[in-house]
């Protein structure tokens, strides 16, 4: 078999949710947008629901409708992008709660679906989504009279605990929402770790559930094992891979493994990346190809049948560092070609 095996540990995922949940006294939701950060909403969401998650967040109504079909009635499903044109039927039929981002969205929602639940998203400085202060002030009394299910905002720099943006946004959010009856939410994974001032009534972790930074204590959720297709010996002076970027200085045993940039192992990680065989680390040689990578297995005493790229020792964040990106991007890039195996809760 020449496809890599991606193992997703649902027990570790649920343990991460409980660990993040125990850091606050609030309701802890779960963010499962982008197919649960690439790990599979169809498997991830039921595991989370079963372990106690009652509120879920997705990016788009289409994702929300898919999630509703998976979860059935019961859990609340919030949609960050709010009520866009064309969303009305999905919102009604799947019983979604759009986070309204503007006066336009508010008008669209109350006209199309009067009495249907909604939330409000406020911009507190990130300038990405949500009503600005002036817009909110104009709408506030009307909106609050319709009893929003949630009022939320999002932090831009929560992964940097000492960043001045955090207290700045906290102050803005507090000024904009103090005294309202509706439940409030400000913190994603990073915000949970900033402490109780940031927790309000609902927290919305995503990346921490899936084992990524900034939740450094997370249990690893993802394991990626890549089969070796072929091994060969190269002599000093011979090259490996496209464009001859790696040239052997001494005799080297090279394994060609069956995954590449088409599987989300982005080319940029190239020369800095390592694979693991037990406790031995094996260096990537030359360029990452579309479906293959060359690896130095000279140090191994046996012919490996597979090598690990992601495991308990090198996480999605380690791989992200090699590629100059973040764990979020590695997770959401994980390819469709992998054989996926889910360890039960
Ligand atoms: C993606 C997202 C989250 C989850 O963030 P993590 O950093 O993955 O915990 C929460 N809220 C909003 C608005 C988001 O876009």
């Amino acid at each position: 078999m020449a496809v890599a095996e991606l193992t997703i540990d649902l027990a570790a995922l649920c343990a991460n949710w409980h660990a993040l949940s125990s850091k606050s006294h609030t309701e802890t939701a779960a963010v499962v947008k982008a197919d649960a950060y690439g790990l599979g909403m169809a498997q991830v969401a039921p595991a989370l629901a079963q372990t106690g998650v009652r509120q879920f967040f997705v990016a788009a109504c289409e994702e929300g409708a898919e999630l509703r079909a998976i979860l059935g009635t019961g859990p609340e499903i919030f949609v960050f992008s709010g009520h866009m044109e064309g969303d009305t039927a999905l919102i009604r039929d799947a019983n979604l709660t759009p986070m309204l981002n503007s006066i336009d969205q508010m008008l669209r929602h109350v006209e199309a679906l009067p009495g249907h639940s909604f939330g409000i998203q406020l911009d507190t400085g990130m300038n990405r989504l949500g009503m600005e202060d002036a817009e909110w002030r104009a709408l506030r009394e009307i909106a609050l009279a319709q009893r929003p299910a949630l009022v939320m905002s999002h932090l831009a720099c929560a992964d940097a605990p000492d960043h001045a943006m955090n207290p700045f946004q906290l102050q803005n959010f507090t000024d904009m929402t103090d005294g309202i009856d509706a439940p409030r939410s400000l913190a994603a994974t990073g915000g949970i770790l900033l402490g109780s001032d940031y927790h309000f009534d609902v927290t919305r972790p995503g990346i921490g559930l899936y084992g990524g930074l900034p939740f450094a204590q997370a249990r690893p959720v993802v394991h990626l094992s890549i089969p070796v297709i072929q091994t060969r010996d190269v002599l000093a002076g011979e090259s490996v891979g496209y464009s001859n970027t790696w040239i052997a200085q001494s005799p080297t045993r090279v394994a060609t493994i069956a995954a590449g940039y088409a599987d989300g192992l982005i080319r940029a990680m190239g020369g800095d990346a390592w694979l693991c065989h037990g406790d031995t680390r094996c260096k990537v040689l030359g360029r990452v190809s579309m479906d293959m990578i060359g690896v130095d297995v000279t140090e191994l005493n046996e012919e490996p049948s597979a090598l690990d790229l992601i495991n308990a020792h090198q996480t999605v964040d380690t791989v992200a560092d090699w590629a100059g990106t973040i764990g979020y991007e590695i997770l959401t890039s994980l390819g469709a070609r992998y054989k996926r195996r889910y360890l039960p809760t």
Side-chain angles (χ1 to χ4, degrees):
M1 187 182 67
V3 295
E5 186 171 79
L6 184 72
T7 305
I8 294 147
D9 184 345
L10 297 174
L13 168 91
C14 291
N16 289 337
W17 182 79
H18 283 287
L20 287 166
S21 174
S22 72
K23 293 188 182 296
S24 76
H25 298 292
T26 67
E27 183 78 28
T28 302
V31 179
V32 294
K33 62 193 180 191
D35 200 27
Y37 288 45
L39 299 187
M41 189 161 74
Q43 290 79 16
V44 162
L48 289 170
Q50 196 193 14
T51 209
V53 180
R54 291 192 297 267
Q55 301 187 329
F56 290 84
F57 287 85
V58 293
C61 287
E62 286 77 2
E63 292 179 330
E66 203 183 321
L67 180 59
R68 180 61 76 202
I70 292 164
L71 291 177
T73 55
E76 220 168 346
I77 301 174
F78 296 94
V79 181
F80 289 133
S81 56
H83 192 148
M84 302 277 286
E85 222 177 302
D87 283 348
T88 302
L90 287 176
I91 291 170
R92 183 191 56 223
D93 297 347
N95 191 20
L96 308 176
T97 303
M99 300 304 301
L100 304 178
N101 290 295
S102 64
I103 291 179
D104 281 356
Q105 286 203 346
M106 180 86 202
L107 292 175
R108 182 180 293 130
H109 187 71
V110 297
E111 271 172 27
L113 298 172
H116 188 102
S117 73
F118 68 94
I120 300 278
Q121 186 158 193
L122 301 175
D123 179 61
T124 53
M126 188 177 186
N127 286 310
R128 190 176 69 167
L129 274 187
M131 298 183 197
E132 307 233 341
D133 192 39
E135 212 177 0
W136 172 233
R137 261 188 278 176
L139 196 72
R140 193 181 139 116
E141 296 316 315
I142 304 164
L144 292 176
Q146 316 248 353
R147 306 214 146 268
L150 188 68
V151 175
M152 63 160 273
S153 187
H154 192 51
L155 298 167
C157 303
D159 58 342
D162 298 327
H163 203 295
M165 189 69 167
N166 297 320
F168 173 77
Q169 287 192 266
L170 175 61
Q171 188 64 52
N172 287 345
F173 189 62
T174 305
D175 291 346
M176 290 167 91
T177 61
D178 247 4
I180 70 174
D181 282 338
R184 293 185 286 175
S185 176
L186 181 61
T189 302
I192 294 172
L193 304 174
L194 292 178
S196 58
D197 287 353
Y198 289 82
H199 294 166
F200 294 91
D201 303 301
V202 178
T203 59
R204 315 181 306 269
I207 191 73
L209 307 176
Y210 308 108
L213 289 174
F215 186 31
Q217 289 89 44
R219 269 176 59 182
V221 171
V222 179
H223 184 113
L224 181 60
S225 173
I226 306 173
V228 174
I229 307 173
Q230 190 180 18
T231 52
R232 76 184 66 246
D233 292 304
V234 302
L235 302 173
E238 288 193 272
S239 64
V240 171
Y242 280 122
S243 305
N244 292 9
T245 59
W246 186 84
I247 294 172
Q249 300 299 307
S250 54
T252 304
R253 184 133 186 94
V254 180
T256 300
I257 61 173
Y261 61 77
D263 303 292
L265 308 183
I266 51 183
R267 222 167 141 274
M269 76 177 189
D272 290 331
W274 298 76
L275 285 101
C276 296
H277 186 261
D279 291 334
T280 310
R281 297 174 81 217
C282 307
K283 193 158 180 39
V284 166
L285 302 177
R287 293 257 160 97
V288 173
S289 297
M290 188 185 292
D291 322 297
M292 283 165 277
I293 304 175
V295 185
D296 183 349
V297 293
T298 313
E299 297 297 310
L300 300 183
N301 303 320
E302 52 182 311
E303 199 81 344
S305 60
L307 299 170
D308 291 344
L309 182 68
I310 302 172
N311 60 21
H313 307 293
Q314 44 186 61
T315 66
V316 290
D317 291 290
T318 314
V319 174
D321 275 348
W322 293 331
T325 181
I326 54 177
Y328 297 74
E329 192 178 6
I330 297 298
L331 280 176
T332 55
S333 303
L334 289 170
R337 196 154 54 171
Y338 297 133
K339 173 166 183 270
R340 287 169 181 243
R341 195 162 66 100
Y342 291 87
L343 302 183
T345 54

